[in-house]
Amino acid sequence: MNTNDTYEDSIIDETFHTLNERHNNIYQFVMRYNDYILSTHEYGDGILLTMIEVHTLTYIEENPGVTVTQLANYWNKTKAALSQTVSRLTEKGLVLKTKKEDNAKNVCLYPTKLGIRLSKSHKLYDTLDITKTMGELKKECSVEEIEAFYKVISVYNKVIQKDFEINMGRKKRGKKGAVVKVNVDEAQ
């Protein structure tokens, strides 16, 4: 290894540690929130649902007749992923699948009476939970800081979405040979 390689390695290490320190809270938040999204919660009637399932149910309740394709577009997920979620909701008696009269290939989704009741319970649950969370945040953050956080998250989401569309998910799969050039001054 020559001196130039050692110098480049030290620059990369220094840059990584600087950026990683700043983003470590984001990484930890994303990992914890992912666990929270995938864990089950009881929103009413003793039925356990993941956050993905209950939010899908609520979208169906608010948009009766929606199709899996429309759900996939709304949530930016594959039709296969949403079909699995809808199947679980159907098995639990929360959603009905009905074929369109003019096109038997298109299946419309409708909430059952139990699905409607559970969706409404979910809305109350989330309202109370978000209110409680906001109260906890206000103990350490101003209203302006909280609003700024939501704005940053919104913009960050757009940045990630654009990056994902450009790279077609290659970064997520860790494609070998990918080189990322970072200007440390701009990143700080």
Side-chain angles (χ1 to χ4, degrees), residues 114-175:
L114 177 59
I116 292 169
R117 191 168 66 235
L118 196 61
S119 176
K120 291 182 185 302
S121 294
H122 160 245
K123 290 175 188 178
L124 176 61
Y125 178 97
D126 270 11
T127 299
L128 295 172
D129 190 53
I130 291 168
T131 301
K132 181 179 121 187
T133 300
M134 294 304 286
E136 289 297 315
L137 290 174
K138 287 179 184 176
K139 290 178 182 177
E140 296 189 39
C141 304
S142 69
V143 172
E144 294 78 19
E145 288 170 325
I146 295 168
E147 290 301 320
F149 167 78
Y150 281 116
K151 180 176 180 178
V152 170
I153 287 293
S154 177
V155 173
Y156 201 2
N157 188 42
K158 291 174 190 172
V159 169
I160 290 171
Q161 179 62 34
K162 183 178 177 183
D163 184 61
F164 188 82
E165 289 168 0
I166 290 169
N167 292 295
M168 302 289 287
R170 287 179 290 182
K171 287 184 180 180
K172 182 179 178 187
R173 290 189 288 276
K175 196 163 189 159

Side-chain angles (χ1 to χ4, degrees), residues 50-111:
T50 65
M51 192 183 290
I52 294 166
E53 291 168 337
V54 78
H55 280 269
T56 300
L57 173 62
T58 295
Y59 190 86
I60 294 167
E61 184 254 327
E62 292 181 344
N63 299 277
V66 68
T67 65
V68 169
T69 300
Q70 291 167 322
L71 278 171
N73 289 335
Y74 178 77
W75 291 114
N76 200 25
K77 297 289 181 192
T78 65
K79 288 194 307 187
L82 263 299
S83 290
Q84 290 176 6
T85 302
V86 168
S87 291
R88 288 191 300 273
L89 294 172
T90 302
E91 290 167 10
K92 293 177 182 186
L94 303 172
V95 171
L96 293 173
K97 297 178 181 178
T98 306
K99 293 186 180 192
K100 277 189 172 180
E101 291 178 17
D102 60 333
N103 185 348
K105 288 176 103 179
N106 287 342
V107 176
C108 298
L109 307 171
Y110 297 92

